[in-house]
């Protein structure tokens, strides 16, 4: 397994991002979004709908070059991304979808990844034969298969039932802990944010800005229910104070 | 089973029509079959069918290759689309006969002129179909491949081509039927062999049996290609849809 670059640092400084609105004027989406993430840190972005979280992730992933500011990724950084929708190739099996982005992956590693995500029985299935939960797991497997230096997760557990969501969340935590990788996670679930993140960035309504940051020093695996509840209260209090409510 | 029944009904209707109008104007199926066997025994049938098939294969491959490339670029690049669209409209509406005659006049009665003229007739049809496919490509899959830094060739092979497959199949099927028809005209007008040439020669002698013998043989070949090549290929390319359904 390839270790991620030890000194890797992700620096994000988005001064401004705007969309062209239908009336002809510009709609400001992001403003002065500045943060850095050290190697292996999991930064969670929490904020109201439409505050530009997905736009920010797209900029960091290099999918949207139309913004003012800069994003400095570690040199030759490999990106793994889980989109809101699984974005699997419908004409390729589960196995081949993962191999599409990671053609050099060993059978041993692929099997291990499928075992963690409980996809072993579905390797030969086509995406059309999978439930949404399974398809999301394949998308997660695909993102980890490339051994990313930066992992971008855009609401990976959205629209799943609570039990399945908790299960995949624990699998995600296990994967992140098995190989530390700089991770950006966008979520509307405070529980998910607190259980997965090292730092929680609270974002304002549009134009999105980072209005507060909560650092969680305790390792993920060591956090118990009372820790989670305490951190949630802190973040909720901060959200109320800032008038930023995640919806 | 239904297909066999349909073929049986066709032969019966043919026989009935032959009795009605007379064997001179419409020879019976058995007479035509006899002519097919005689032409096959002499070797002429295979020579002419072979020549026609070779022309079809070459002009079809040329038109599909160029048409796919041009259609893809036009579907993806708006500037190219706007520049090339008027040319496409002209080619689409140019009668096949005009193209063939001009090709023979300008390039002589050569094989290259015939194949080129047939390909030009098919080209705009392929361009239009593939352009629609390229316009309908899913941008989210393209973004996914881009984030994961998948090399351009793998992206083309595994993301673009499967999405274009239904359009390519539609273009191939309609194109093949178009090429079959045009190739006979090109042969009739300026080639010394091929099914079109033979039908032309038979027409001069008012030999309806030979015209039908070649037309029938040709139809059997077309049907065989459709059943043994085009349809299995189509089924293979869309197997993921069948399983997902």
């Amino acid at each position: 397994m390839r270790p991620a670059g030890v000194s890797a640092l992700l620096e994000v400084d988005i001064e401004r991002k705007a969309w062209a609105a239908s009336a002809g004027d510009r709609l400001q989406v992001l403003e002065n979004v500045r943060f850095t993430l050290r190697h292996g840190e999991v930064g969670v972005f929490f904020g109201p709908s439409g505050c530009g979280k997905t736009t920010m992730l797209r900029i960091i992933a290099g999918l949207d070059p139309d913004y003012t500011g800069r994003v400095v990724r570690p040199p030759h950084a490999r990106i793994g991304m889980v989109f809101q929708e699984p974005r699997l190739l419908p004409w390729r099996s589960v196995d081949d979808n993962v191999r599409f982005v990671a053609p050099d992956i060993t059978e041993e590693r692929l099997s291990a990844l499928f075992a963690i995500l409980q996809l072993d029985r579905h390797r030969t299935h086509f995406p059309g034969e999978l439930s949404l939960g399974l398809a999301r797991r394949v998308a997660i497997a695909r993102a980890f298969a490339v051994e990313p230096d930066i992992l971008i997760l855009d609401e990976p557990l959205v629209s799943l039932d609570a039990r399945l969501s908790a299960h995949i969340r624990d699998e995600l935590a296990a994967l992140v802990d098995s190989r530390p990788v700089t991770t950006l996670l966008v979520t509307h679930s405070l529980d998910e944010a607190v259980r997965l993140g090292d730092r929680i960035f609270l974002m304002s309504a549009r134009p999105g800005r980072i209005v507060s940051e909560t650092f969680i020093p305790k390792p993920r695996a060591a956090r118990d229910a009372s820790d989670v509840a305490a951190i949630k209260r802190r973040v909720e209090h901060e959200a109320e104070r800032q008038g930023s409510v995640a919806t | 089973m239904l297909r066999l029944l349909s073929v049986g009904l066709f032969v019966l209707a043919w026989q009935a029509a032959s009795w009605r109008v007379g064997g001179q104007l419409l020879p019976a199926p058995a007479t035509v079959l006899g002519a097919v066997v005689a032409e096959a025994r002499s070797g002429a049938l295979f020579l002419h069918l072979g020549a026609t098939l070779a022309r079809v294969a070459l002009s079809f491959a040329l038109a599909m290759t160029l048409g796919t490339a041009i259609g893809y670029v036009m579907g993806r690049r708006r500037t190219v689309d706007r520049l090339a669209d008027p040319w496409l409209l002209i080619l689409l509406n140019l009668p096949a006969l005009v193209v063939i005659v001009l090709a023979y006049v300008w390039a002589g009665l050569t094989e290259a002129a015939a194949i080129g003229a047939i390909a030009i007739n098919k080209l705009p049809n392929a361009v239009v179909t593939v352009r629609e496919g390229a316009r309908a490509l899913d941008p989210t899959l393209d973004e996914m491949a881009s984030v994961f830094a998948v090399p351009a060739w793998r992206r083309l092979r595994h993301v673009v081509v499967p999405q274009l497959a239904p359009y390519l199949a539609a273009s191939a099927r309609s194109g093949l039927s178009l090429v079959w028809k045009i190739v006979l005209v090109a042969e009739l007008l300026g080639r010394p062999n091929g099914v079109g040439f033979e039908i032309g020669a038979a027409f001069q002698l008012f030999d309806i049996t030979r015209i039908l013998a070649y037309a029938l043989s040709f139809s059997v070949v077309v049907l065989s290609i459709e059943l043994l090549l085009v349809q299995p290929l189509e089924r293979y390319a869309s197997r993921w849809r069948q399983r997902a359904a």
Side-chain angles (χ1 to χ4, degrees):
Chain A
M1 192 184 294
R2 193 179 66 90
V6 173
S7 61
L9 188 74
L10 173 69
E11 290 180 60
V12 176
D13 180 0
I14 302 167
E15 289 170 23
R16 201 170 298 114
K17 166 67 192 175
W19 295 113
S22 54
D25 52 343
R26 304 279 288 173
L27 188 70
Q28 195 75 8
V29 183
L30 292 169
E31 197 174 69
N32 296 326
V33 175
R34 294 194 183 95
F35 65 90
T36 56
L37 281 179
R38 284 189 299 277
H39 162 67
E41 270 191 323
V42 178
V44 183
F45 296 83
F46 190 70
S49 290
C51 75
K53 300 184 292 292
T54 295
T55 305
M56 178 193 73
L57 291 188
R58 289 175 56 80
I59 290 172
I60 295 167
L63 290 173
D64 186 350
D66 182 25
Y67 70 100
T68 311
R70 66 181 198 138
V71 172
V72 182
R73 299 185 209 99
H76 313 297
R78 270 194 286 202
I79 297 176
M81 186 162 182
V82 178
F83 298 88
Q84 277 183 27
E85 64 286 6
R87 298 197 187 185
L88 302 175
L89 301 176
W91 42 87
R92 288 173 73 92
S93 66
V94 164
D95 210 285
D96 288 341
N97 259 284
V98 177
R99 287 185 191 277
F100 170 64
V101 299
D104 300 325
I105 193 168
T106 61
E107 178 53 40
E108 187 189 0
R109 181 159 156 64
L110 191 60
S111 298
L113 206 49
F114 283 147
I116 293 173
L117 290 163
Q118 297 177 11
L119 287 166
D120 323 53
R121 290 186 301 112
H122 304 284
R123 290 182 68 156
T124 57
H125 291 170
F126 285 102
E129 299 171 296
L130 304 176
S131 65
L132 181 61
L134 281 169
R136 284 201 193 287
R137 276 192 252 174
V138 178
I140 292 168
R142 181 177 62 188
F144 277 91
V146 297
E147 300 190 7
D149 299 298
I150 298 172
L151 180 64
I152 298 174
L153 307 168
D154 189 2
E155 299 189 47
L157 311 180
V158 73
S159 73
L160 297 181
D161 66 64
R163 197 161 151 260
L164 184 59
S165 173
H167 175 69
I168 300 181
R169 184 196 64 216
D170 293 344
E171 287 168 346
L172 258 177
L175 281 167
V176 170
D177 286 333
S178 70
R179 178 182 174 274
V181 49
T182 308
T183 303
L184 297 106
L185 168 69
V186 159
T187 179
H188 283 294
S189 159
L190 189 53
D191 196 61
E192 199 177 303
V194 171
R195 287 176 193 277
L196 284 172
D198 294 313
R199 289 157 71 189
I200 300 175
F201 297 96
L202 191 64
M203 291 184 75
S204 69
R206 194 165 55 211
R209 288 175 293 110
I210 291 174
V211 290
S212 83
E213 181 188 333
T214 304
F215 179 62
I216 310 173
K218 206 167 186 178
R220 262 175 295 281
R223 289 173 207 163
D224 57 24
S226 63
D227 295 326
V228 170
I231 302 163
K232 276 168 82 172
R233 275 197 302 276
R234 255 168 65 198
V235 177
E236 274 166 350
H237 173 72
E238 194 59 38
E240 274 171 32
R241 204 172 67 81
Q242 299 284 352
S244 168
V245 181
T247 50
Chain B
M1 193 63 202
L2 274 174
R3 281 183 177 180
L4 276 176
L5 188 71
S6 169
V7 171
L9 278 174
F10 172 74
V11 174
L12 275 177
W14 179 0
Q15 181 64 62
S18 174
W19 280 329
R20 181 87 178 83
V21 301
Q24 202 121 37
L25 203 57
L26 180 60
T31 314
V32 174
L33 194 64
V36 171
V37 172
E39 288 291 312
R41 278 197 181 139
S42 73
L45 182 71
F46 301 112
L47 176 84
H48 293 298
L49 269 180
T52 300
L53 279 174
R55 285 181 194 117
V56 165
L58 281 170
S59 52
F60 177 76
L62 189 65
M64 280 301 288
T65 309
L66 282 175
T68 301
I70 296 168
Y72 178 73
V73 176
M74 284 178 77
R76 299 284 273 183
R77 299 268 179 271
R78 194 175 289 183
T79 318
V80 179
D81 187 37
R82 284 186 181 161
L83 274 173
D85 198 51
W87 295 42
L88 190 62
L89 279 173
I90 292 169
L91 277 177
L92 269 171
N93 293 294
L94 203 60
L97 190 63
V98 174
V99 178
I100 295 166
V101 169
L102 285 177
Y104 281 150
V105 170
W106 289 334
L109 295 174
T110 62
E111 205 62 66
I115 289 166
I118 300 161
I120 287 171
N121 274 300
K122 157 67 190 152
L123 183 75
N125 175 285
V127 171
V128 168
T129 314
V130 176
R131 179 175 64 175
E132 286 311 307
R135 282 175 178 165
L137 287 175
D138 184 349
T140 66
L141 294 180
D142 208 33
E143 281 187 353
M144 179 274 292
S146 166
V147 163
F148 285 100
V150 176
W153 171 247
R154 277 177 65 76
R155 228 186 276 194
L156 182 72
R157 193 176 151 205
H158 298 296
V159 180
V160 175
V161 172
Q163 288 183 79
L164 287 183
Y167 296 89
L168 291 172
S171 174
R173 179 164 286 166
S174 69
L176 214 50
S177 63
L178 188 71
V179 167
W180 290 131
K181 287 163 191 161
I182 297 168
V183 75
L184 298 196
V185 179
E187 287 175 348
L188 181 86
L189 288 174
R191 298 313 305 139
N193 51 27
V195 174
F197 167 80
E198 268 302 299
I199 288 174
F203 171 65
Q204 302 292 328
L205 303 168
F206 213 68
D207 187 348
I208 298 174
T209 307
R210 198 145 65 103
I211 291 174
L212 288 176
Y214 273 94
L216 186 70
S217 311
F218 194 62
S219 303
V220 169
V221 170
V222 174
L223 201 66
S224 306
I225 289 175
E226 170 75 23
L227 290 174
L228 302 175
L229 199 71
V230 178
Q231 286 188 9
L233 264 175
E234 222 173 1
R235 272 198 298 276
Y236 177 77
S238 60
R239 68 197 188 288
W240 60 274
R241 287 181 203 272
Q242 290 156 10
R243 280 181 58 175

